Amino acid sequence: MSGLDPTETFRQEAQELLEQVEKGLLDLAHRPEDRDLIDAVFRGLHTLKGSGAMFGFDALAAFTHHCETAFDRVRKGEVPASKRLIACVLAAQDHMRALAEGRPVEPAVGKALLADLHAAVEGGDAPAAALADPAAPVAPVGKTWKIRFSLPTDALVNGARPLPLLDELRGLGDCRVQVLTDDVPALGDLVPTECHLAWEVLLTTTHGRDAIDDVFIFVIDDMTLEVEELIEASTDNAALEGATKAPSAPPSEKPVEAAAQDSRAVKTGETVRVPAERLDEMMDRVGELVIAQSRLRQLASSSLDTALRAVAEEIERLAAEMRDTMMVVRMVPVIQLFARFRRLIHDLQNDTGKKIQLQIEGETTELDKTVIERLADPLVHLVRNAADHGLETPEERAAAGKPEAGIIRLSARQSGAEVLITIADDGRGVDRDRVRAKAEENGLIAPGQVLTDNELLNLIFAPGFSTAATITNLSGRGVGMDVVKKTIEGLRGALDITSNPGEGSVVSLRIPLTLAIIDGLLVRVGTSRFVIPLANVEECVELSPAQDLRSTGRSLITLRDELVPFLRLREQFNTGSAPDPHQKIVVVSTGQDRVGLVVDQILGDHQTVIKPLSSFHADIGAFSGATILGDGGVALILDIPALVQLGQRHDAPMRVAG
Amino acid sequence: MSAILTVDDSISIRAAIKIALSGEGYAVTEAGNGAQGLEKASAGGFDLIITDLNMPVMDGLTMIRELRARPAGAGVPIIFLTTESDPDVKAQAKAAGATGWLTKPFEPEQLVRVVQKVLAK
């Protein structure tokens, strides 16, 4: 629903704008002279105010107005971006956030914030009155906008009139109007009270983008509106420069932002508002297409008709391209995710009294938007953990000969069909003895049980585990590391931790780029077929009859001098028929752990559209979903983390014995 | 000269609207609640209706919905008056078929601007 609700859309936009403003403010604290930053903060506040008013968030708009005014003065050089002013606006962020989310706010708080803000602006250096000369602004240069709009079909019944809208546009400047009749139905189907016309208007005006949006204020929620600035051989280099530098978010993700962006930003292409759920629907259709296509491929391959085969190949290529395009449309850079951590770190420093330096790498790496949304909570938890448990106090660090400020590094990079995200700190590292004591206390392991270092570290992710001696304000608030692990695995990702005493810890997450389609390896076990996500596959080897016999009862094979446990899927799935003479082992891995899966036959790779299992079957564990094959058959998708865990468990006693 | 119907249970608000709009040459008719408003509007002849939401007997939302279902109500711009605190109500009113809104309290100039905005010339 959220995708279609304009209020919700605005809230989301407001959230993003606030993050953007916050980032600007935090940077500004270090570089108070930076024009780009000042402009960015001003733009963010300006847009927030503008669209807030547009979507009926009047209190927010009114409040933001004051912050905007303050930054307008900074922009004009009247007041400096003093630490005090930055702190005030940062403090005001929470208030604005509450207003944007529609949470109840204490009016007194707002008043106090505004009073502080006022004092900060007035209390700064004496205003350089000479600098500002509002009477002589830069000569206004007209801009040309291409505006394309259509009203909802029921607009006329509800009293909206296109003519006054056009008149109002005309009032803004030089206007050329063209009516688009493409959507007008045939005369027989025409309902006279419905509006099927669309308009394209070329408007040259000295008014800003806001003025255009104001024209549509009563209909903007439901209509289609595209506004694009036409760039002429412009001499406005400053504007161009500003725009290229602005770290603008991708158009696919932020429809409203596109509509409300500062008029200075130059757009190179049109953007269209699309509710997120329509994208999901489209993804579904592409999924169906891929299934139909593989059916076609199968039919064509058994046909002698060369024309049919040519078409099948063509369709295959198109379907693959379609799939890729669709995925790109849904991709969002992780900066959206990372940006919020700057504030988190800011707050954490205050809460813990620790000095923390946040380093961010690879924030342009892209991920599917649904994946990004679901990653937010686990990452917040991991960063909190790093700050709370990982990093030492400045005194402890000094004693250990480290710089006072601890480092938390967030990085993202793409590797194949996955994105690797790491959260690293240079703190004290995981205290193995404490982990062991705690695990024994909680009955997770038997006293004195022999574990590899990796196994010991991974106990942190076991349900109910927490090393915090006391529950602090920061951690232990309901979300445990086990929930983090569950969420990551729910995304078909994996997580792993490494840690060196005194040097810090690194938690790495491997996340698939998208949730809807994966490349899989199709295998046969008995008469059934299964899909193994290709991202998890390390290699395929033959299980020689000798190995098969030798390994009976101790399911381990030696791969390049390393023992790898394996599972016979025939046994796991109780396949009745006799095994093939040449069974194969597909070696799969999650993080550090590897396990071999014995199958009868490897059928090849297969582009797999994932269909979720019904709620009845969702808990089976060994399967993460199902897919429809080209011949109409169904194959289950193996849940690799679950199988690896199973394999490792089988392996554990072996290690003790051997 | 455009005919405007103002529906509000507050006499002072009706008066304020009437003063602002008749000054601009509009003919203003008053109704004290949604039921009265519906009755008058159903007779037709109005170019614009301005209505409050919370009223006795019949509230503004119901009135808008009823009116939109009738021939005389189709296509007539309806502006509803809202207070700052109720963005949800605004969405509801829009869904019911309102054309635009005006936030209370409002200045006479604002009212005139909004009226001009939605009235077809």
Side-chain angles (χ1 to χ4, degrees), chain A residues 56 157-158 161 214-215 218, chain B residues 68 75 90 94 99 101 117 120:
Chain A
V157 177
N158 286 345
R161 302 263 202 282
D214 277 352
V215 170
F218 286 148
Chain B
R68 284 292 182 225
K90 190 149 88 187
K94 288 209 73 173
T99 313
W101 65 87
K117 190 174 171 71

Side-chain angles (χ1 to χ4, degrees), chain A residues 230-260:
Chain A
L230 293 185
I231 310 154
E232 289 161 38
S234 167
T235 51
D236 196 354
N237 284 332
L240 282 168
E241 207 176 282
T244 42
K245 274 187 193 160
S248 68
S252 59
E253 165 64 7
K254 296 196 182 169
V256 178
E257 169 162 309

Side-chain angles (χ1 to χ4, degrees), chain A residues 86-105:
Chain A
I86 291 169
C88 276
V89 182
L90 267 179
Q93 296 270 301
D94 294 327
H95 190 68
M96 291 190 238
R97 196 159 280 141
L99 287 170
E101 284 166 11
R103 282 187 273 135
V105 292

Side-chain angles (χ1 to χ4, degrees), chain B residues 4-115:
Chain B
I4 298 175
L5 174 67
T6 162
V7 189
D8 205 307
D9 57 337
S10 154
I11 301 171
S12 59
I13 295 219
R14 288 207 305 268
I17 293 175
K18 187 162 187 166
I19 291 166
L21 294 181
S22 36
E24 296 291 317
Y26 297 109
V28 180
T29 308
E30 296 179 37
N33 61 50
Q36 283 180 21
L38 185 63
E39 191 189 330
K40 293 191 177 171
S42 300
F46 290 106
D47 301 295
L48 170 70
I49 297 163
I50 302 172
T51 179
D52 188 20
L53 285 183
N54 296 317
M55 290 180 289
V57 188
M58 180 189 282
D59 66 15
L61 276 180
T62 317
M63 186 194 83
I64 296 173
R65 248 178 245 126
E66 294 267 352
L67 201 52
R68 284 292 182 225
R70 301 183 183 195
V76 181
I78 303 178
I79 293 173
F80 71 96
L81 301 177
T82 173
T83 48
E84 282 193 346
S85 57
D86 47 13
D88 291 344
V89 174
K90 190 149 88 187
Q92 280 178 40
K94 288 209 73 173
T99 313
W101 65 87
L102 185 63
T103 305
K104 280 197 281 192
F106 50 84
E107 300 291 314
E109 300 91 310
Q110 274 179 302
L111 174 66
V112 171
R113 257 203 319 275
V114 169
V115 166

Side-chain angles (χ1 to χ4, degrees), chain A residues 32 37 46 57 66 103-104 124 178 275 365 380 446 452 562 577 597:
Chain A
L37 287 175
H46 178 75
F57 289 76
H66 295 282
R103 282 187 273 135
Q178 197 187 354
T365 312
V380 167
T452 64
E562 206 181 312
S577 58
L597 303 174

